[in-house]
Amino acid sequence: MDDQQRWRLELKDSDAKVRAAAAENLCLAGSDSVAAAVELVVACGDVEDVQNWAASALEDLGAPSVDSVDALEPLVNSPKPLVGYWAATLLGRLGKTASRSQTILGKAVSDSPHLSVQERAAWALGKVGATEASVVESLKRAAASESPRLASLANRALA
Amino acid sequence: MANRNSKYGRKRGSFKIFWLVIAIVTSGGVSGFLNPDWPVVGPLVTSVKTQAIEYKNQTASGLEDSGVNNVQANPGAYAGTPVQSASALGPNDKILIATFNIQVFGESKLRKPDAMAVIVEVIRKFDVIAIQEVRAKADDILPRLVAELNADGSRYDFIIGPRLGRSVSKEQYAFVYDTNRIELDSASVGTIGDPGDLLHRAPFIARFRPRTTDPDRAFTFWLVNTHTDPDDVPEEVDALAQVFQVMQTARPDEDDVILLGDLNASEKQLGDIKKIPRIKWVVGGGVMTNTRQNKAYDNIIFCAPPTQEFTGKWNVLNFEQEFNLSREEALRVSDHFPVWAEFDVWESADTIH
């Protein structure tokens, strides 16, 4: 088992200190940790230390593998907003190769209880594309939002 | 150089997207360093004021001497303060201004003595340093850092901004400065207003001047501390161009604006910032600023003129080499190296009145 595999396993350890150390190690490994993208998104729902290092790791990770789309999609609807935020972000980073995720992203724009997830989903739709009628409808409603950023991102995705 | 005799004489900026929000940490609105005639700009920011109150009495004893903690109790703290002799760190006629993204600077990093020893030694090299990525729910991160800085008799102090970010994972900006050599304009601290929500973390601003020269001749300047969202760099860099220009006209008596921080952008990605007349940036020419030495994300940006106080000296502090660390040890300090620039302590002579 190499370091990456071990750290990914340790993200699921029962000891929060072990999980935090694993998240930190994955963060310090930079883009070498791209295979851990989904686990890091899940770790964003953990305790503060784990969450901070996981979020920092994701900031610099770049686009995940296309293979991770199936695992990321349900995470967009996580009750934990930081998990949904990062799942949407990674889908957006995949660009057109994640175009099949537009339905779930459109639903997040309309229905997520978290503005940060709504905004990130709208941002992601600007990257993956919005061609389905229901997604375009979601974006049009978001374009009339009172949140200036959500409205701006929705308009950008519609353009 | 500051335009001190043109009372509202400057052309006002046409940028409406951002506005200045200044925290007045004095209850009476005493403004500026020494001159009570300098105007107060903008409304109160209670969050910063609240933090200043919270930090009082919870920090190391060395922090009670000056800065935000003291201003709360004594609005005229700096009035009549004599010119200070320089610390052992630098010449009296120059100051070093730096920016340092201390990746995920929170409880876990404070628990790493090796990393903290490097961070402390790095900060002690500079007179004022803009810090990005304070990430913690606790409020004692900067007080503990400053306590370590001052353990050798130094007199550093800090100001810290509110927790910012669109997600639940927030960050704070901070300025740490050597009170032997740098004076904070206590009425100038604040966060840029961003009603259009264009920036993930609106910049944290404050105005400073050196204490190692005659106050009437001292170089005064805004520092605009920034950390962009890596997923929105082109948009945020363009927004920062507007922030810069708003700051240039924020006060009629101050045109020295220094934007510094982690822009997640190399010099080729500075967008509208490059369109600002006479804009300069120090990091360029293929110099890298991250620990892995493959990105040029951090920079110090100003216009010259007016900021002719820049001596031309700058660098990236490669603490991996400086402290003979392995790459892994260096990464445990941060994934960014600090960037610094040197400035004269006197305002450029041609506009001193």
Side-chain angles (χ1 to χ4, degrees), chain A residues 11 21 29 63 65 106 115 141:
Chain A
L11 275 181
S65 147
L115 179 61
R141 282 195 299 275

Side-chain angles (χ1 to χ4, degrees), chain B residues 23 52 68 75 146 207 220 227 232 246 280 321 340:
Chain B
V68 169
V146 170
R207 196 161 158 262
T220 63
H227 183 196
D232 245 347
V246 165
K280 312 266 187 227
Q321 292 177 0
W340 60 267

